[in-house]
């Protein structure tokens, strides 16, 4: 352990699938003076790399399918048992098998008019049990893309039953069978070309039967048979058989997360009128009117209430509508108004339910409690008829209206507060125009910073526990059972990426605590993408793609104007074009914000125009596009190192009219224009005491969670910083060259996370003050760069970073779990000679596709025909013939074994084989440290992300397993290499995998090694 008297600072760079860290020694003055050690931990983010969806969702869907299959088989077995006990089915299995020759549709129809023999009735009822129809659940049906097609098919079937005068659906199906028509619920997709030229896929079913039809048929059939043989068809027999036929487990309710203010309560639905109103008042209390000089004014209480009343009746209001309602000038702007946002959302629930098809104006006569109760029933009730009955009894509407309400689609999801918290906060928000944080405290709740464990108890932990144990208000509900695993006992954060990230933080930090003792300070940067949902990521990817297209367009324009090749276009010129386009929507009216001189494209790309910081960089350290614009060089020199107000508003300067500057600023994006106002700098600071505090404080939700978690071990010195500052300082320190990509960050090397951590570790008030002073000096000297000489944290800082980075063994979290997809989902028919067949939908048609493919073959010896032989035939040796196959496409590991003459041989174990081994012999056999599955002596067992050391070209290299091929090839790469699969497939990339077989691995003196979460290498040495 590090000398406890030697204080150090722990820096963490937490990303969606990585954790970079650095230990920074602090000197006697509590300033950073040396880098003790740095490292990187790489782990999966819990998402499908193809579409970004949670792997937990994929597993849950597959598990649900297996459970449905298992329940079907159990129901069939129960039905056989009860029918046998009641004397309907023969007890001999072969006799029961012989009954399959009876036509169940004929029996279901004839049983309405004649007495069936016991075995005939059993055959008919068993058939009903196998195809017992769809039971509607209004909660889940709305999420089903095919629910509309189902309802149409059900409605059509009911109409056909009425028109045909058939007494039961079984009788109707028998008529179709006699007519040679289909009896199955075939799903079809038909592409339709509409008049506008667009193609739409029409979904339909040939027919669809629901559970109520099956129940009605059972009752009708039973009455018919009971009238003819009452001694056999008793009420007790009816009860038992109907229970087996119709019983269905109720859906396990999905419990919402915890209320952030009252963690013992559940969060309220977003559709709840109370939730909608709290959001409306919160937003209106934050709404500001931009008056003269772009200064902001809050709404008056009367204006706020007038607008809130209007929004409570509408789904949304545009800012133009708001201006008219409040009788404001048409040129008035709002702080929330922007080209990307032209409206404020209203009460979507009230707007929908007050339509004439539903409650109409009667909705607004209900009190708030009844409105909430109505919506709660609409969201939670599963049984449609029960919901309809409740609505009729409690609201006075007729059945037709209740039926329409049962199908209504309300906003999905949950808010962050429970119903009790909403009831307390809403009156506080209504009472005056105050921000949400003040309303929370006015309602009697403590500030969020007073809700964490350290603040409440003063206890400092010696190591990080499972986060759910102490961050109760941020996780879902757990069981509370001490015998359950931690995640189940205490609950977890639903986002898989955040969950994994916090757990890996715990693993790494606890390893460092054990080795180096507790830190004096912890500084964390949390990646923006860590908290993003799949939808957020897709939106971010779309935005990035749009930016790339925009940049390429601008690159081409600049190249044409300057008459140069596209590759010679400077990044600064592209940025100039971006900022120029933000000056005004009208290209002819794009002028210098300060002097008003018109700026053409050609003039823009000359030295007359330059990029400048609206609020001085030395006072904000904000180098984002929101703090930049383009201006005439002369005007920029006059402005100097001041804000627009300080330069042109406080003291008028000839040739510069501050009111005209504000008028030109109003055309810019909202994140930029307020900076021109007299209070622009104060509004940029928000609640921070100064620009250094702002630069050192990240207030995002996930950042607060990370801070609260790490405060458990370091309560006084933990802070989370924004990522923009890290990127800026890394470039200015010249650290992008540490991993060598000509001044650009090398994202193909995992160690860049540790470089960031080394920057994070020195990002403190003293460092930023030096940076600010250097920037001010450069501005005073009228230099074309942010700083002339970037001050370093200490003279040998760069050398320390290089040394620490070169000493890193990147730690990859290996997944040694055999539990994963055994094979792909597609089932293939077996044609023989390695040929398979399957069907797929092509252009709305089901097409047969044949191909050569090695598959895992499945056979079922328990399924036999009437003569007792295997249903699918037998092979030449008499064993049951395989009837389908699946593409394995997944390997669990490769076992390196010693064979005759001491040679090494590789035996690839598929995930399917691993499952079968555990099922037959237990997990201990799968993981036997000395014996392979084939019975050969085991040298080593390698899995994806395991570390291996071997000698290549007389050099010892430490690599990780990236891929295992079915033919026994092991593909490896150096530990620090990132994005390897994509780079290996790119023919223009110099990178390529190192491929070894068991034999060549033996020749290279290969051995499996381990790297701890804290980056410690353990090499047992080569053992021949």
């Amino acid at each position: 352990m590090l000398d406890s008297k030697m204080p150090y600072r722990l820096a963490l760079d937490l990303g969606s699938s990585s954790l970079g860290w650095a230990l920074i020694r602090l000197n006697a003055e509590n300033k950073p003076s040396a880098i003790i050690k740095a490292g990187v931990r790489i782990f999966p983010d819990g998402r499908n790399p193809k579409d970004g969806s949670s792997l937990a969702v994929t597993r849950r869907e597959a598990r649900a399918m297996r459970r449905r299959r298992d329940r079907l088989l159990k129901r069939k077995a129960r039905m056989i048992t009860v029918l046998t006990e009641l004397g309907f089915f023969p007890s001999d299995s072969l006799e029961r098998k012989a009954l399959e020759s009876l036509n169940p549709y004929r029996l279901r129809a004839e049983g309405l008019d004649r007495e069936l023999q016991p075995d005939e009735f059993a055959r008919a009822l068993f058939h009903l049990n196998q195809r017992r129809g769809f039971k509607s659940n209004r909660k889940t049906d709305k999420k089903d893309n095919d629910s509309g097609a189902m309802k149409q098919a059900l409605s059509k079937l009911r109409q056909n039953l009425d028109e045909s005068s058939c007494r039961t659906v079984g009788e109707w199906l028998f008529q179709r069978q006699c007519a040679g028509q289909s009896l199955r619920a075939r799903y079809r997709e038909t592409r339709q070309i509409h008049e506008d030229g667009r193609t739409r896929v029409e979904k339909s079913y040939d027919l669809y039967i629901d559970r109520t039809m099956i129940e009605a048929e059972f009752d009708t059939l039973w009455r018919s048979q009971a009238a003819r043989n009452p001694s056999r068809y008793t009420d007790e027999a009816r009860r038992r058989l109907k229970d087996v036929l119709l019983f269905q487990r109720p859906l396990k309710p999905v419990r919402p997360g915890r209320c952030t203010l009252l963690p013992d309560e559940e969060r309220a639905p977003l559709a709840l009128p109370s939730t909608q109103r709290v959001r409306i008042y919160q937003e209106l209390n934050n709404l500001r009117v931009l008056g003269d000089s772009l200064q902001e004014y809050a709404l008056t209480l009367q204006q706020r209430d007038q607008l809130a009343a209007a929004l409570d009746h509408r789904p949304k209001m545009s800012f133009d509508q708001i201006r008219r309602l409040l009788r404001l000038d048409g040129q008035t702007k709002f702080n929330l108004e922007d080209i990307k946002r032209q409206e404020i959302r209203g009460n979507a629930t009230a707007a929908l339910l007050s339509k004439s098809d539903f409650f109409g104006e009667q909705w607004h006569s209900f009190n708030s409690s009844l409105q909430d109760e109505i919506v709660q029933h609409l969201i939670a009730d599963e049984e449609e008829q029960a919901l309809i009955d409740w609505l009729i009894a409690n609201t006075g509407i007729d059945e037709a209206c209740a039926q329409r309400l049962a199908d209504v689609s309300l906003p999905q999801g949950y808010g962050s507060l429970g119903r009790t918290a909403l009831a307390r906060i809403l009156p506080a928000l209504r009472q005056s125009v105050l921000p949400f944080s003040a309303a929370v405290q006015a309602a009697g709740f403590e500030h969020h910073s007073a809700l964490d464990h350290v603040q409440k108890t003063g206890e400092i932990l010696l190591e990080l526990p499972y986060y759910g144990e102490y961050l109760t208000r941020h996780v879902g509900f757990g069981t509370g059972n001490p015998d359950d695993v931690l995640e189940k006992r205490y609950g977890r954060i639903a986002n898989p990426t955040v969950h994994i990230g916090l757990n890996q933080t715990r693993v790494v930090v606890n390893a460092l605590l054990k080795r180096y003792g507790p830190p004096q300070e912890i500084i964390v940067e949390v990646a923006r993408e860590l908290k993003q949902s799949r939808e957020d990521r897709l939106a971010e990817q779309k935005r990035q793609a749009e930016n790339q297209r925009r940049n390429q367009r601008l690159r081409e324009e600049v190249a044409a104007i300057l008459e140069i090749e596209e590759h010679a276009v400077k990044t600064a010129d592209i940025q100039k074009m971006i900022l120029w386009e933000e000056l005004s929507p009208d290209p002819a009216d794009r002028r210098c914000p300060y002097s008003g001189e018109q700026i053409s494209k050609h003039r823009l790309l000359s030295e007359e125009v330059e990029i400048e910081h609206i609020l001085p960089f030395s006072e904000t350290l904000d180098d984002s596009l929101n703090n930049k614009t383009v201006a005439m060089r002369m005007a920029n020199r006059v402005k100097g190192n001041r804000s627009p107000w300080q330069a042109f508003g406080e003291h008028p300067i000839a040739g510069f009219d501050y009111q005209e500057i504000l008028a030109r600023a109003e055309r810019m994006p909202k994140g930029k224009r307020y900076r021109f106002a007299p209070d622009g700098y104060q509004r940029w600071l928000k609640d921070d005491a100064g620009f250094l505090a702002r630069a050192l404080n990240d207030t995002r939700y996930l950042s607060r969670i990370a801070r609260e978690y790490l405060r458990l071990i370091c309560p006084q010195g933990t802070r989370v910083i924004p990522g923009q500052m890290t990127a800026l300082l890394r470039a200015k320190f010249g650290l992008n060259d540490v991993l060598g990509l000509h001044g650009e960050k090398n994202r193909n090397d995992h160690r860049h996370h540790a470089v960031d951590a080394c920057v994070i570790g020195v990002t403190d008030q003293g460092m930023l003050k030096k940076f600010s002073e250097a920037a001010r000096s450069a501005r005073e000297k009228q230099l074309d760069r942010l700083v002339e000489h970037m001050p370093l944290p200490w003279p040998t800082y760069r050398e320390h970073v290089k040394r620490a980075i070169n000493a890193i063994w990147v730690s990859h979290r290996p997944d040694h779990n055999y539990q994963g997809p055994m094979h792909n989902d597609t089932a293939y028919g077996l044609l023989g000679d390695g040929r398979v067949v399957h069907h797929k939908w092509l252009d709305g048609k089901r097409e047969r596709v044949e191909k050569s493919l090695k598959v895992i073959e499945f056979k079922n010896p328990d399924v036999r025909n009437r003569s007792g032989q295997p249903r699918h035939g037998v092979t030449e040796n008499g064993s049951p013939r395989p009837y389908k196959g699946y593409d394995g496409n997944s390997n669990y590991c490769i076992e390196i074994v010693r064979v005759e003459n001491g040679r090494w041989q590789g035996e690839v174990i598929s995930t399917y084989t691993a499952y079968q081994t555990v099922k037959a012999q237990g997990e201990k056999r799968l993981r036997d440290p000395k014996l392979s599955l084939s019975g050969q002596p085991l040298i080593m067992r390698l899995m994806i992300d395991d570390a291996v050391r071997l000698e290549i070209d007389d050099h010892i290299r430490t690599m990780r397993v990236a891929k295992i091929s079915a033919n026994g090839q092991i593909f490896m790469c150096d530990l620090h290499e990132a994005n390897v699969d994509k780079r290996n497939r790119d023919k223009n990339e110099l990178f390529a995998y190192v491929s070894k077989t068991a034999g060549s691995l033996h020749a290279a003196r290969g051995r499996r090694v381990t790297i701890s979460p804290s980056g410690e290498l353990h090499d047992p040495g080569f053992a021949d």
Side-chain angles (χ1 to χ4, degrees):
M1 182 181 292
L2 193 70
D3 185 350
S4 59
K5 295 180 181 179
M6 185 186 301
Y8 74 94
R9 179 185 291 167
L10 174 59
L12 301 174
D13 176 31
L14 178 56
S16 59
S17 60
S18 63
L19 178 63
W21 55 269
L23 306 181
I24 311 295
R25 180 178 299 168
L26 301 176
N27 60 20
E29 298 175 350
N30 208 38
K31 296 181 179 178
S33 60
I35 297 177
I36 302 167
K37 187 177 175 64
V40 178
R41 175 76 162 174
I42 303 297
F43 45 86
D45 64 0
R47 296 185 180 275
N48 187 326
K50 293 182 179 179
D51 59 10
S53 62
S54 169
L55 292 177
V57 173
T58 305
R59 291 192 294 268
R60 184 165 62 245
E61 291 174 347
R63 186 166 58 246
M65 291 174 66
R66 292 195 299 271
R67 286 176 175 173
R68 283 196 295 270
R69 174 67 178 168
D70 290 343
R71 288 168 190 154
L72 169 64
L73 296 177
K74 289 178 181 178
R75 190 175 74 248
K76 289 169 67 174
R78 286 198 305 271
M79 180 62 79
I80 290 174
T81 299
V82 175
L83 286 171
T84 303
E85 290 175 355
L86 294 174
F88 288 101
F89 255 154
S91 57
D92 183 73
S93 60
L94 291 179
E95 291 182 28
R96 288 199 302 270
K97 192 73 176 175
L99 295 175
E100 290 183 3
S101 60
L102 300 177
N103 183 343
Y105 295 104
R106 179 183 294 277
L107 296 175
R108 288 167 62 179
E110 293 179 355
L112 302 175
D113 302 309
R114 73 170 177 87
E115 181 179 355
L116 298 178
Q117 295 301 312
D119 54 0
E120 290 180 323
F121 177 81
R123 176 71 180 100
L125 187 57
F126 189 77
H127 186 258
L128 269 180
N129 186 59
Q130 285 182 285
R131 297 170 177 82
R132 63 178 187 159
F134 165 73
K135 182 177 182 179
S136 173
N137 183 296
R138 56 178 300 275
K139 286 177 67 178
T140 56
D141 294 351
K142 291 177 184 177
K143 301 176 184 177
D144 194 325
N145 292 331
D146 301 332
S147 60
M150 289 182 193
K151 289 185 177 181
Q152 287 183 4
L154 285 169
S155 177
K156 184 178 179 181
L157 177 54
R158 291 191 184 98
Q159 182 180 348
N160 289 336
L161 285 172
D162 292 340
E163 293 174 354
S164 65
S165 300
C166 290
R167 291 162 289 181
T168 66
V169 69
E171 186 177 21
W172 181 79
L173 289 171
F174 179 57
Q175 289 183 4
R176 284 180 64 90
Q177 186 184 51
C178 293
Q181 296 175 307
S182 171
L183 304 178
R184 307 299 290 270
R186 296 289 186 192
Y187 173 71
R188 301 184 187 280
E189 291 184 355
T190 306
R191 292 186 177 272
Q192 300 283 352
I193 300 177
H194 292 252
E195 294 180 357
D196 58 3
R198 294 185 178 182
T199 301
R200 180 178 297 175
V201 176
E202 300 289 346
K203 301 176 181 179
S204 64
Y205 287 90
D206 291 352
L207 58 91
Y208 216 92
I209 298 170
D210 72 1
R211 190 74 51 82
T212 58
M213 297 176 184
I214 298 299
E215 182 177 7
E217 179 174 354
F218 173 83
D219 291 339
T220 304
L221 189 60
W222 188 273
R223 284 194 300 271
S224 172
Q225 297 302 307
R228 294 172 171 80
N229 191 350
S231 61
R232 179 177 292 278
Y233 294 89
T234 64
D235 288 343
E236 176 60 18
R238 177 181 179 277
R239 183 195 64 78
R240 291 182 64 186
L241 290 171
K242 190 171 184 178
D243 180 65
V244 175
L245 175 66
L246 299 177
F247 173 77
Q248 181 162 309
R249 293 172 63 258
L251 282 177
K252 184 179 180 181
V254 178
R255 197 172 186 185
R258 298 176 186 268
C259 169
T260 55
L261 295 176
L262 297 171
D264 291 335
E265 291 195 10
E266 294 179 353
R267 297 180 176 185
L270 285 175
L272 210 67
S274 295
T275 306
Q276 296 275 319
R277 292 186 180 112
V278 165
R279 176 186 51 75
I280 289 171
Y281 277 96
Q282 180 181 352
E283 194 153 43
L284 294 185
N285 287 359
N286 290 329
L287 186 65
R288 297 291 182 268
V289 179
L290 301 183
D292 295 338
S293 303
L294 292 182
Q295 290 180 303
E296 294 182 345
Y297 302 96
L299 299 177
T300 65
L301 184 62
Q302 181 181 359
Q303 287 175 321
R304 196 281 312 270
D305 290 345
Q306 184 183 6
L307 186 50
L311 285 168
D312 199 44
H313 288 67
R314 307 182 188 186
K316 61 185 179 181
M317 284 184 72
S318 70
F319 286 110
D320 284 336
Q321 291 173 319
I322 293 172
R323 275 185 282 270
R324 288 195 292 270
L325 178 69
L326 301 180
R327 297 186 178 181
L328 299 175
D329 184 87
Q331 301 302 313
T332 302
K333 298 289 184 181
F334 297 97
N335 63 325
L336 303 180
E337 188 176 5
D338 187 57
I339 191 171
K340 295 181 180 178
R341 184 177 184 186
Q342 297 292 320
E343 62 192 25
I344 290 181
R345 288 184 297 138
N347 190 333
T349 300
L352 179 62
L353 297 184
S354 61
K355 288 184 175 181
S356 57
D357 286 346
F358 304 122
F359 290 107
E361 286 302 311
Q362 183 186 5
W363 170 260
H364 298 294
S365 69
F366 298 146
N367 61 46
S368 298
S369 297
L370 179 56
Q371 288 181 350
D372 280 356
E373 191 174 3
I374 290 170
V375 171
Q376 190 66 44
H377 277 278
L378 291 175
I379 293 171
D381 287 3
E382 296 179 10
E383 297 296 334
E384 186 170 297
Q385 191 57 50
L387 171 65
I388 291 172
D389 294 342
W390 186 91
L391 288 170
I392 294 172
N394 290 273
T395 67
I397 58 175
D398 58 31
E399 185 173 358
C401 182
Q403 179 68 56
R404 291 194 296 271
L405 280 165
D407 293 329
V408 74
S409 294
L410 294 170
Q412 299 291 307
Y414 295 87
S416 59
L417 301 177
R419 296 182 69 169
T420 302
L422 290 171
R424 288 170 58 178
I425 292 173
L426 184 55
L429 285 170
R430 279 175 164 160
Q431 189 171 5
S432 59
V433 185
L434 76 172
F436 182 75
S437 58
V440 168
Q441 292 178 283
F445 295 105
E446 293 183 287
H447 190 270
H448 66 80
S449 63
L451 297 174
D452 67 38
H453 176 78
V454 175
Q455 192 79 10
K456 289 188 292 187
T457 68
E459 179 187 15
I460 302 175
L461 304 184
L462 298 178
E463 65 177 10
L464 284 176
Y466 170 62
Y467 71 85
E469 184 177 355
Y470 287 86
L471 273 60
T472 311
R473 64 196 180 102
H474 300 296
V475 302
F477 288 92
T479 63
N481 186 347
D483 296 330
D484 287 336
V485 296
L486 292 174
E487 294 176 14
K488 192 174 181 180
R489 177 182 178 183
Y490 294 112
R492 55 173 286 174
I493 291 174
N495 186 310
T497 307
V498 177
H499 170 72
I500 294 172
L502 291 178
N503 277 338
Q504 287 301 300
T505 298
R506 170 169 55 96
V507 169
V508 172
V509 169
N510 285 347
L512 294 173
L513 291 178
K514 186 176 181 181
R515 175 75 184 274
Y516 298 99
Q520 184 166 311
E521 300 176 12
I522 300 178
I523 307 179
V524 192
E525 179 196 314
V526 179
R528 179 174 53 185
E529 70 270 12
L530 187 61
K531 179 61 178 174
Q532 289 179 328
S533 65
R534 176 173 178 266
E535 291 72 23
D536 293 335
R537 292 186 178 209
L538 291 175
E540 178 67 14
Q541 290 171 6
K542 182 179 179 181
R543 186 189 66 81
Q544 291 175 352
E546 290 173 351
N547 287 346
Q548 288 173 356
R549 288 193 293 270
R550 176 202 63 190
N551 291 350
Q552 179 57 32
R553 171 178 62 82
L554 297 178
R555 184 184 302 277
E556 292 171 0
E557 286 190 38
V558 171
I561 293 170
L562 299 181
E563 297 181 352
I564 58 176
E565 297 293 331
E566 287 184 19
H567 65 79
V569 173
K570 297 177 181 177
T571 303
D573 286 335
I574 295 177
Q575 195 171 101
K576 271 187 175 183
M577 292 286 285
I578 294 171
L579 298 172
W580 178 73
E581 290 185 345
E582 289 181 347
L583 291 176
S584 172
D586 182 5
D589 196 30
R590 290 172 183 165
R591 302 174 180 275
C592 170
Y594 308 118
S595 68
E597 291 184 62
Q598 188 173 14
I599 302 176
S600 65
K601 285 185 180 180
H602 286 79
R603 194 176 193 184
L604 174 74
L605 299 175
S606 71
E607 293 185 357
E608 288 185 76
V609 178
E610 57 189 17
I611 296 172
E612 84 97 17
H613 292 87
I614 303 168
L615 296 177
F617 178 79
S618 63
E619 298 297 326
T620 61
L621 299 182
D622 184 352
D623 197 41
S624 68
L625 285 178
N626 271 342
N627 194 39
K628 291 179 180 179
T629 188
V630 284
M632 300 301 296
R633 176 182 287 269
M634 177 275 296
N636 194 21
R637 294 297 177 266
V638 174
K639 176 177 178 285
N641 199 42
R642 295 174 293 178
S643 70
W645 163 251
Q646 291 170 332
F648 307 112
E650 281 186 328
H651 306 288
I653 299 176
F656 297 92
D657 187 316
Y658 183 62
Q659 293 305 317
E660 291 183 2
I661 291 174
L662 294 178
R664 287 188 286 270
E666 285 188 4
R667 305 188 188 106
M668 298 183 187
K670 72 174 183 180
K672 181 171 297 192
R673 64 188 177 218
Y674 78 86
R675 300 168 192 250
F676 290 82
D679 60 348
Y681 182 65
Q682 286 69 35
R683 283 154 66 183
W684 178 84
L685 280 177
K686 296 182 179 177
D687 297 327
D688 294 308
F691 80 94
L692 293 180
R694 168 80 186 264
L696 293 171
N697 183 30
D698 189 346
T699 58
R700 291 174 300 165
Y701 170 68
L702 184 59
S703 300
R704 295 201 303 270
I705 293 179
R707 180 176 179 272
E708 184 177 339
Y709 188 35
L710 292 163
R711 272 173 51 83
L712 294 172
I713 59 170
C714 185
Q716 301 303 322
T718 298
R719 51 191 169 86
V720 183
I721 66 171
Q724 300 94 319
M725 190 53 57
T726 303
L728 187 59
L729 289 175
R730 183 183 61 242
K732 298 307 173 186
F733 287 152
L735 298 183
N736 287 338
D737 289 326
V738 169
L739 297 174
L741 267 185
H742 310 295
E744 295 183 6
K745 186 174 182 178
N746 186 0
R747 296 186 180 275
N748 289 331
D749 192 319
H750 286 307
R751 293 173 298 178
H752 79 264
H753 301 296
V755 175
D756 285 346
C758 290
V759 177
I760 293 166
V762 298
T763 307
D764 55 19
Q765 193 158 352
M767 184 66 246
L768 296 189
K769 191 174 182 180
K770 290 181 184 178
F771 192 14
S772 169
E773 291 170 352
R776 184 179 294 109
S777 173
R779 181 71 195 215
E780 290 171 354
K781 295 179 181 180
Q782 298 187 356
L783 301 178
D784 289 333
R785 52 186 182 274
L786 289 180
V787 292
E788 183 176 13
H789 300 292
M790 181 65 196
L792 294 176
W794 62 87
T796 56
Y797 172 70
R798 285 196 192 96
E799 288 70 23
H800 280 216
V801 173
K802 290 179 181 179
R803 183 181 63 195
I805 298 304
N806 290 333
I808 289 175
W809 298 112
V810 177
S811 172
H812 292 261
R813 177 195 171 205
D815 185 3
H816 289 174
N817 199 334
Y818 67 91
Q819 294 173 326
M822 289 187 287
H823 47 70
N824 289 349
D825 294 336
T826 304
Y828 294 92
L830 306 177
L831 301 178
D833 298 324
R835 299 283 294 173
V836 297
V837 62
H838 71 110
H839 292 85
K840 63 187 303 184
W841 288 93
L842 296 173
D843 296 327
K845 296 181 180 180
R846 191 167 179 261
E847 301 287 349
R848 175 186 171 97
V849 179
E850 293 186 17
K851 60 182 177 180
S852 296
L853 182 68
K854 183 179 180 181
V855 296
I856 303 170
E857 296 183 345
F858 282 73
K859 53 189 175 184
N860 192 341
D862 297 329
V863 178
R864 297 180 177 271
N865 57 27
R866 296 168 194 166
S867 60
Q869 297 297 314
R871 178 179 177 181
H872 301 286
V874 295
T875 60
E876 294 178 355
N877 60 12
S879 63
R881 185 184 302 279
Y883 67 99
K884 66 177 180 179
Y886 290 91
D887 182 8
N889 198 31
S890 174
N891 293 321
Y892 166 64
C893 72
I894 181 170
E895 293 185 331
I896 310 297
V897 302
R898 181 179 286 110
V899 294
E900 66 279 358
N901 302 325
R903 292 187 304 106
W904 286 12
Q905 181 174 295
E907 298 174 349
V908 177
I909 308 300
S910 69
T911 305
Y912 175 77
T913 302
Y915 265 101
Q916 302 309 309
T917 301
V918 172
K919 184 178 179 180
Q921 304 175 55
E923 191 171 338
K924 189 175 180 180
R925 176 66 186 92
L926 181 67
R927 305 188 188 279
D928 192 309
K930 296 183 178 179
L931 194 66
S932 71
L933 292 189
S934 64
Q936 303 282 358
L938 183 68
I939 303 295
M940 70 181 99
R941 185 178 287 116
L942 295 178
M943 305 175 199
I944 301 298
D945 285 334
D946 275 345
V948 178
R949 290 200 106 184
L950 62 163
E951 296 178 7
I952 300 177
D953 298 330
D954 298 326
H955 290 86
I956 296 179
R957 292 176 66 176
T958 307
M959 315 187 82
R960 73 173 177 93
V961 177
K963 182 180 176 182
I964 298 173
S965 179
N967 63 7
Q969 279 187 297
I970 308 166
F971 297 93
M972 297 174 285
C973 62
D974 290 316
L975 293 172
H976 63 267
E977 295 287 358
N979 306 314
V980 291
D981 184 57
K982 179 181 177 181
R983 292 164 62 200
N984 184 68
R985 287 185 276 108
D986 188 346
K987 296 180 180 179
N988 297 320
E989 267 278 354
L990 296 177
F991 170 84
Y993 284 136
V994 172
S995 173
K996 296 289 182 183
T997 61
S1000 58
L1001 190 64
H1002 187 192
R1005 300 174 62 83
R1007 64 270 193 189
R1008 181 172 172 266
V1009 299
T1010 58
I1011 299 170
S1012 71
S1014 58
E1016 304 294 332
L1017 172 68
H1018 175 67
D1019 183 358
F1022 176 67
D1024 196 347

